[in-house]
Amino acid sequence: MCHPLPRIVLSLAALLITAAVPLQAQQADTPPPSQETLPTADLLEGDAAEEEGGSAEQMAAPAPEPLMQMGSDWPYYGGDAQATRFSTLDQITPENVARLEPAFTYHTGDLPTGEAEGMYSPEVTPLKLGDDLLMCSAMNILISVDAATGEENWRFNPGVPNEAIPYGATCRGVTIYTDPEAAPDDLCATRVVQGTLDAKLVAVDAQTGAPCEAFGENGTVDLWQDLGERVPGWYAVTAPPTLARGILVTGAQVLDGQAEDAPSGVIRGYDAVTGELAWAWDLAAPEQNRHGPPEGETYTRGTPNMWTMGVADEELGYVYMPLGNSAVDYYGSNRSEAENEYATSLVAIDVTTGEEVWHFQTVRNDVWDYDLGSQPTLLDWQGRPAILLPSKQGDIYLLDRETGEPLTPVEELTGLPQGKIEPDYISDSQPVSAWHTLRKAPLTEKDMWGFTPIDQLWCRIQFRRAIYEGFYTPPSAERPWIQYPGYNGGSDWGSVAVDVERGVIVANYNDVPNYNQLIPRADADEVGLKPIDQVEQRAGAPEGAGDPQSGSPYAINVNAGWRNDVTGMPCTRPPYGGIRAIDLETGETLWDRPLGTARRNGPFGIPSMLPFDIGTPNNGGSVVTASGLVFIAAATDNLFRAIDIETGETLWSAELPAGGQANPITYEVDGQQYVMVTAMGHHFMESGVGDEVMAWALPAD
Amino acid sequence: MTNRDTLPSNLDARSRNGLVLVLGWVCILLGAVLAAGGVWLITLDGSLYYALAGAGLFATGVLLNHHRLAAVWLYLVVWVGTLGWAWWEVGADLWAQVPRLVAPTLILVLVLICIPALSRRR
């Protein structure tokens, strides 16, 4: 009747004691330009000899390159280069979708072993180019599969060790790059690039899977370079690099909540052909570290990171990077000015120079872990080049792509509570989108839930005991506080799909609170919370026992999805997730419905088998087709479904062997349209484990 | 020889008496938990319902243990009150009604089954 709400494993019960790590000095000042920037200066002075010389390659400003067209393919993570997830294919229609049949199932063979048990969250979305599907597995095995038959063409295993898994083993996808100067038959003329959990960029030939030897060292670039001490699992890439003008741009997931002295959130651009560092954007030292930090130093540690998918405007030459929060999520008084300026912002970076163009901040002084997780989408909106940005708070913003100016109304919430922990740091005002938000009304005691009056009563007592002053209630230590929406969204990494022909945004979202409490350092030490670099053995997937937040005065304990500690059921009433259609012109809701049935969920983890739409938590986005269908899995009922974009009605569904917490795709081979989703489960969403890549198509008549 | 006509109803009566006792103690136990938690909730400025319903359930259990028909009337009052309160809180939201109505209605059915084993006098 209720669902096992994902419980984040914020950290390990086995993490033990740490003394406070000394506050780390942030490098905000700007020393003289480093050696690497000098050639550019030479160029400006018109030194022709230099231009022709050895440094010419460094100086050539990357020019726009042809975009891959979508048509029958799915060449980018978000479908097209704009990340609309809109396909013009229309063979499968609302009228015939009920006749879909399984076309093939491919098994990657990548299943957890040893300490990786309970840590798999693959979230994989394949790309389709020509006749091939190109993908990575949870542990970064690169694979090419025949898109019509599911037969494997090749695979390349970079050998990522289990200890590299950060929060979960995730590889959302790969990036395809075709070198415009290579002959079509050259090895690596078209290459597949991924970022790995052990922090490498790996490039292989799209035809054969052979490593691209000219890329880095034998096809590999080491991203640990200039980050400081290598601690496996602390710095991991889970998203495909963003490609613009032949530059691959990547950030990384820096494991949350460990310590202020964490690996840097630096964003780096690499030449897609050679793997050479083109630039680095270190938000706390952008000038000094543009071409790497000075000898013996590292990129600024503990800065907000970019763990999700960006998007690029090839013509403008900008990449748009959704930033997360600082390494310590729930305490901010000792963050640097630069961190406060950029955390939880969308940042536009000029890919030709590595310089920031603009940024747009969605939370001031974020102490709620409201990382921007959704890939933004490029659109033309009312004649303006726009970028659409969904947030975990549920707000949907439309910004000018060139300037970052909001195109739709942004309002200020004022007089917000500032709490007792750090009232000088907590902002008393926050921006919200007045154009559209997925956020629901604040919780009341009546919203408490359970299976019987007794567990409902227990949740009501907890509600009344907690500190809750609505949206943006600040953290507290003496009593728990309620954070609503929780850090799972709103909109998370699955992002939204945009039907550019009908002018409709399709957004799925979560609707769950978190029940949190700060733990004073002395108490955290007593129960033995310590960060990843000081733990000898990381346990598997433990109960959320707290993150150490070393270097700040408090550790943090999060009950994600606020579940009853006895029954495991959520303390709040359903729905826990939904999907809605939004008019792209006006921002008005066209329809809104719960997403996910109760079939797999029930008290004490017992499946209820109830086929009713209760609305479960969901992770993973949707695809929209020109024929008016929305395909989405995402929910914890492990169903893949087709929804009528006009009405919101489910027209077809299929059971998956494990959770479909991944973005689906659709493509065409030899006149046959396929829809595809990976069914690999998700540890946080408690949706099983699998290695299936599954395709459906209409039967041949 | 035993009387073939009375044997089944004797068994029936015996099992009904057993049900009354078990149900009586279940109501006392659940009523006590609800009442105690309900008082805690009231001290936190929360809903009055749980303390009241818990007291009603507790009293129903005591009456059941005494085989009093008044248990049925009292529980009907508790159940009708629950129905009204639940509607007032969340109306036609069926999922929200699950914790409010499912278990109390189940208890109502069990209490009604007990009627033949209860008496009007003490």
Side-chain angles (χ1 to χ4, degrees):
Chain A
M1 214 60 65
C2 63
H3 69 87
L5 226 146
R7 178 174 308 174
I8 195 155
V9 172
L10 268 184
S11 90
L12 318 183
L15 292 183
L16 304 186
I17 305 251
T18 178
V21 166
L23 298 188
Q24 157 233 344
Q26 300 290 344
Q27 303 164 349
D29 49 342
T30 310
S34 63
Q35 197 59 41
E36 287 83 347
T37 60
L38 290 179
T40 312
D42 289 346
L43 179 62
L44 288 173
E45 285 158 22
D47 187 333
E50 269 297 314
E51 212 175 333
E52 311 246 308
S55 58
E57 188 178 277
Q58 259 181 321
M59 292 183 297
E65 294 179 9
L67 295 174
M68 289 177 279
Q69 294 307 307
M70 200 166 160
S72 60
D73 288 342
W74 193 276
Y76 298 89
Y77 178 83
D80 49 20
Q82 293 76 30
T84 60
R85 297 169 235 286
F86 173 76
S87 170
T88 53
L89 299 179
D90 59 1
Q91 186 178 68
I92 303 169
T93 65
E95 289 70 38
N96 65 25
V97 66
R99 292 167 52 218
L100 278 183
E101 288 181 354
F104 63 84
T105 296
Y106 169 77
H107 293 264
T108 66
D110 186 350
L111 291 165
T113 55
E115 63 180 351
E117 299 265 2
M119 293 184 80
Y120 262 43
S121 45
E123 305 175 3
V124 178
T125 295
L127 302 187
K128 188 267 183 180
L129 187 68
D131 295 330
D132 302 331
L133 294 163
L134 297 157
M135 69 190 91
C136 50
S137 72
M139 295 298 283
N140 298 118
I141 302 169
L142 287 169
I143 300 167
S144 170
V145 170
D146 186 299
T149 66
E151 281 168 34
E152 185 175 305
N153 298 318
W154 53 255
R155 62 168 53 206
F156 175 79
N157 187 350
V160 173
N162 281 346
E163 64 174 5
I165 299 174
Y167 170 61
T170 300
C171 181
R172 297 196 191 89
V174 298
T175 302
I176 295 170
Y177 178 66
T178 299
D179 182 354
E181 287 170 21
D185 292 339
D186 286 356
L187 196 69
C188 291
T190 296
R191 59 190 61 201
V192 182
V193 187
Q194 69 169 345
T196 66
L197 295 174
D198 58 351
K200 293 177 176 124
L201 286 181
V202 175
V204 303
D205 178 42
Q207 293 301 316
T208 64
C212 299
E213 291 185 357
F215 183 86
E217 288 198 18
N218 288 325
T220 299
V221 169
D222 180 15
L223 297 173
W224 270 108
Q225 177 105 31
D226 298 321
L227 287 179
E229 187 198 354
R230 286 170 192 260
V231 180
W234 205 347
Y235 185 90
V237 183
T238 56
T242 306
L243 175 70
R245 298 198 180 185
I247 305 288
L248 296 162
V249 182
T250 188
Q253 177 186 129
V254 176
L255 189 61
D256 269 351
Q258 300 301 306
E260 286 184 350
D261 185 21
S264 176
V266 62
I267 291 170
R268 286 174 282 186
Y270 293 88
D271 186 302
V273 175
T274 65
E276 275 176 50
L277 181 71
W279 48 260
W281 184 70
D282 179 341
L283 62 85
E287 304 291 334
Q288 173 194 298
N289 293 343
R290 178 147 303 140
H291 298 279
E295 192 69 32
E297 292 185 29
T298 66
Y299 293 109
T300 312
R301 289 177 66 80
T303 51
N305 62 75
M306 202 298 289
W307 54 263
T308 189
M309 283 67 62
V311 68
D313 184 321
E314 188 74 22
E315 278 306 310
L316 274 176
Y318 295 169
V319 287
Y320 301 93
M321 301 277 113
L323 261 60
N325 200 356
S326 298
V328 166
D329 289 303
Y330 297 92
Y331 185 82
S333 286
N334 42 12
R335 290 178 190 156
S336 70
E337 278 306 307
E339 287 178 74
N340 292 334
E341 180 67 33
Y342 288 102
T344 328
S345 291
L346 180 67
V347 182
I349 298 174
D350 186 332
V351 77
T352 64
T353 63
E355 287 172 34
E356 180 213 338
V357 185
W358 53 261
H359 69 283
F360 175 83
Q361 190 167 50
T362 56
V363 191
R364 298 189 188 110
N365 294 0
D366 183 357
V367 286
W368 300 272
D369 198 6
Y370 281 143
D371 293 355
L372 286 174
S374 308
Q375 182 182 32
T377 300
L378 304 184
L379 298 166
D380 286 316
W381 193 73
Q382 299 186 347
R384 305 276 293 275
I387 184 164
L388 180 141
L389 176 68
S391 76
K392 289 195 168 185
Q393 302 90 302
D395 291 309
I396 296 180
Y397 297 100
L398 273 159
L399 310 174
D400 186 300
R401 218 185 289 168
E402 294 173 11
T403 65
E405 288 300 314
L407 300 175
T408 50
V410 176
E411 284 180 358
E412 286 281 307
L413 293 179
T414 54
L416 294 169
Q418 289 168 286
K420 291 181 189 167
I421 298 291
E422 40 180 353
D424 294 337
Y425 182 75
I426 304 295
S427 176
D428 65 354
S429 69
Q430 295 285 0
V432 287
S433 172
W435 185 72
H436 192 93
T437 185
L438 303 163
R439 189 172 53 252
K440 304 286 178 75
L443 296 173
T444 66
E445 189 196 310
K446 283 182 208 172
D447 292 316
M448 298 306 107
W449 204 62
F451 194 63
T452 71
I454 292 178
D455 49 334
Q456 186 188 33
L457 169 60
W458 177 233
C459 290
R460 290 175 93 124
I461 290 169
Q462 287 190 63
F463 178 85
R464 290 289 177 178
R465 288 187 65 219
I467 295 175
Y468 182 55
E469 299 169 87
F471 189 33
Y472 285 124
T473 299
S476 54
E478 84 273 24
R479 283 186 286 147
W481 92 94
I482 296 167
Q483 178 184 339
Y484 180 64
Y487 59 45
N488 221 24
S491 183
D492 201 349
W493 54 265
S495 199
V496 301
V498 182
D499 183 332
V500 291
E501 288 180 2
R502 288 179 182 76
V504 176
I505 301 169
V506 176
N508 55 301
Y509 57 92
N510 284 299
D511 180 12
V512 286
N514 286 355
Y515 197 76
N516 306 337
Q517 190 164 12
L518 292 172
I519 308 167
R521 181 57 57 206
D523 298 347
D525 287 347
E526 205 161 301
V527 295
L529 299 178
K530 65 181 183 181
I532 183 169
D533 58 334
Q534 293 170 33
V535 180
E536 284 176 18
Q537 178 81 48
R538 291 170 68 201
E543 304 298 310
D547 268 1
Q549 302 201 136
S550 271
S552 83
Y554 298 94
I556 176 70
N557 202 4
V558 172
N559 176 348
W562 187 9
R563 299 210 292 199
N564 187 310
D565 30 14
V566 180
T567 62
M569 306 225 318
C571 263
T572 54
R573 82 286 166 272
Y576 308 107
I579 184 168
R580 69 171 64 160
I582 302 160
D583 187 316
L584 183 57
E585 284 300 305
T586 64
E588 283 166 18
T589 300
L590 300 170
W591 51 259
D592 187 14
R593 51 161 281 189
L595 178 66
T597 69
R599 59 184 285 270
R600 277 191 72 251
N601 305 303
F604 308 106
I606 303 159
S608 74
M609 314 297 274
L610 292 172
F612 311 116
D613 280 319
I614 188 172
T616 73
N618 52 86
N619 256 181
S622 61
V623 165
V624 184
T625 68
S627 58
L629 289 170
V630 178
F631 288 95
I632 185 167
T636 56
D637 60 3
N638 294 7
L639 296 179
F640 184 43
R641 53 180 73 65
I643 295 171
D644 187 330
I645 198 172
E646 302 287 350
T647 63
E649 188 191 348
T650 300
L651 299 177
W652 168 82
S653 69
E655 282 184 31
L656 303 176
Q661 279 76 43
N663 283 22
I665 66 171
T666 186
Y667 60 87
E668 188 181 86
V669 183
D670 296 335
Q672 176 85 289
Q673 184 185 355
Y674 297 80
V675 289
M676 165 170 282
V677 73
T678 60
M680 301 184 177
H682 198 288
H683 66 109
F684 176 68
M685 305 298 280
E686 298 175 8
S687 58
V689 180
D691 67 347
E692 283 92 345
V693 179
M694 303 176 76
W696 289 261
L698 293 171
D701 288 325
Chain B
M1 295 292 280
T2 50
N3 185 332
R4 282 164 184 272
D5 289 331
T6 56
L7 183 61
S9 68
N10 279 345
L11 277 178
D12 227 27
R14 209 175 299 160
S15 61
R16 268 182 216 275
N17 278 332
L19 173 67
V20 169
L21 280 179
V22 170
L23 185 62
W25 280 109
V26 166
C27 288
I28 286 171
L29 193 73
L30 295 181
V33 169
L34 272 182
V39 168
W40 188 5
L41 185 61
I42 289 171
T43 65
L44 296 168
D45 297 328
S47 168
L48 303 179
Y49 165 80
Y50 297 86
L52 293 173
L57 191 59
F58 185 92
T60 301
V62 171
L63 290 170
L64 282 172
N65 276 357
H66 288 83
H67 291 259
R68 292 276 308 276
L69 191 62
V72 178
W73 293 110
L74 175 60
Y75 191 74
L76 268 175
V77 170
V78 172
W79 187 80
V80 169
T82 297
L83 208 61
W85 162 79
W87 183 265
W88 171 74
E89 273 211 322
V90 293
D93 182 340
L94 291 182
W95 285 112
Q97 292 295 7
V98 167
R100 291 169 172 86
L101 296 184
V102 171
T105 303
L106 187 68
I107 291 175
L108 177 69
V109 170
L110 294 173
V111 167
L112 293 179
I113 288 172
C114 289
I115 287 179
L118 303 177
S119 68
R120 280 191 178 75
R121 43 183 297 283
R122 53 188 307 276

